[in-house]
Amino acid sequence: TKELEEEIQNLKKKIEEAEQDAKARQTARNQLRQAENKMHEAARTLFNTERQLDNLGNLEHRLPEQPLEKAQKEVDEKLQQQRRRCTELSQELEGLEEVLESGECDRCGRPIEDHESYKRRVGETEQNLNQAREERDGLKRRKSELKELQEELETKNELEQERRDAEERLEDAQA
């Protein structure tokens, strides 16, 4: 009986060791699965980030000669000037049209004698106003392009940081 008890004890130890080994293998499998999941997730993130960066393309060729902020400031200033010019020309045109309509000088109130001269000035002012509006609209488009470019650059910087983080996570998961 003593031998059997020893043998039972030995068997219990072996069973206990086998159970510990099984738990250790299960833990190792879980850790391996988690590492694989992390690796796959990092690889997916890296792939998606690379694809988004490719979609953004090369933004450097769209950058203005000067720093972006300076270009935006210049466009804003020119846009303000052009808006003022449009307002001034619009007011001038209104005044000329009123003079033609009333037939009297807006300064002294006397009847105007040279209607053709006023009509010519109205035409020139309308032409200048249309030109100023076109320039203003062009500046608005440029301002919008620069804003979009700035947003794309910010997105690109964020994506590049995300790519670096994904590369680090991928290396850590592979280690």
Side-chain angles (χ1 to χ4, degrees):
T1 58
K2 198 172 193 180
E3 282 179 25
L4 283 175
E5 284 178 7
E6 284 180 17
E7 196 173 321
I8 290 172
Q9 286 299 329
N10 286 336
L11 288 174
K12 283 183 180 179
K13 277 185 183 179
K14 286 182 182 180
I15 290 172
E16 202 175 288
E17 288 172 1
E19 286 174 349
Q20 287 176 351
D21 286 347
K23 285 180 184 176
R25 277 194 295 277
Q26 185 62 36
T27 302
R29 272 198 287 292
N30 289 340
Q31 289 173 342
L32 180 61
R33 248 185 257 121
Q34 288 174 350
E36 287 173 343
N37 288 340
K38 286 180 183 179
M39 194 167 68
H40 290 301
E41 180 61 32
R44 259 193 309 277
T45 301
L46 188 58
F47 175 78
N48 289 333
T49 304
E50 290 289 341
R51 193 177 72 233
Q52 288 175 314
L53 283 168
D54 286 344
N55 289 341
L56 275 177
N58 184 5
L59 300 176
E60 283 69 27
H61 75 279
R62 292 177 41 204
L63 287 173
E65 295 292 319
Q66 64 217 21
L68 188 58
E69 293 79 20
K70 186 176 180 183
Q72 287 174 318
K73 187 177 178 182
E74 283 182 14
V75 167
D76 283 339
E77 289 170 1
K78 288 178 182 177
L79 186 57
Q80 288 301 324
Q81 291 171 354
Q82 212 55 35
R83 285 180 177 146
R84 281 192 297 273
R85 176 144 170 75
C86 286
T87 302
E88 290 167 2
L89 287 169
S90 183
Q91 289 171 347
E92 181 181 338
L93 183 60
E94 262 183 53
L96 289 170
E97 288 173 339
E98 284 177 16
V99 168
L100 270 177
E101 196 175 298
S102 69
E104 296 176 347
C105 178
D106 58 338
R107 293 190 188 122
C108 63
R110 289 189 296 185
I112 57 169
E113 296 171 6
D114 190 5
H115 286 281
E116 289 306 311
S117 167
Y118 273 93
K119 285 181 183 178
R120 206 171 32 255
R121 283 181 58 197
V122 164
E124 290 170 359
T125 306
E126 283 176 339
Q127 190 175 10
N128 290 339
L129 180 58
N130 287 335
Q131 230 176 2
R133 285 178 177 158
E134 286 175 17
E135 287 178 34
R136 179 197 63 198
D137 293 344
L139 288 167
K140 283 181 181 178
R141 281 190 298 277
R142 182 64 179 151
K143 179 179 180 172
S144 177
E145 290 168 2
L146 290 173
K147 184 177 185 210
E148 183 179 319
L149 180 60
Q150 181 180 14
E151 290 170 356
E152 288 175 353
L153 282 171
E154 289 170 3
T155 301
K156 182 179 179 182
N157 290 337
E158 290 169 5
L159 287 170
E160 286 174 344
Q161 181 61 47
E162 191 174 328
R163 178 180 59 194
R164 286 188 294 274
D165 293 345
E167 286 171 345
E168 286 177 19
R169 286 195 311 272
L170 187 59
E171 287 175 15
D172 290 346
Q174 289 174 341

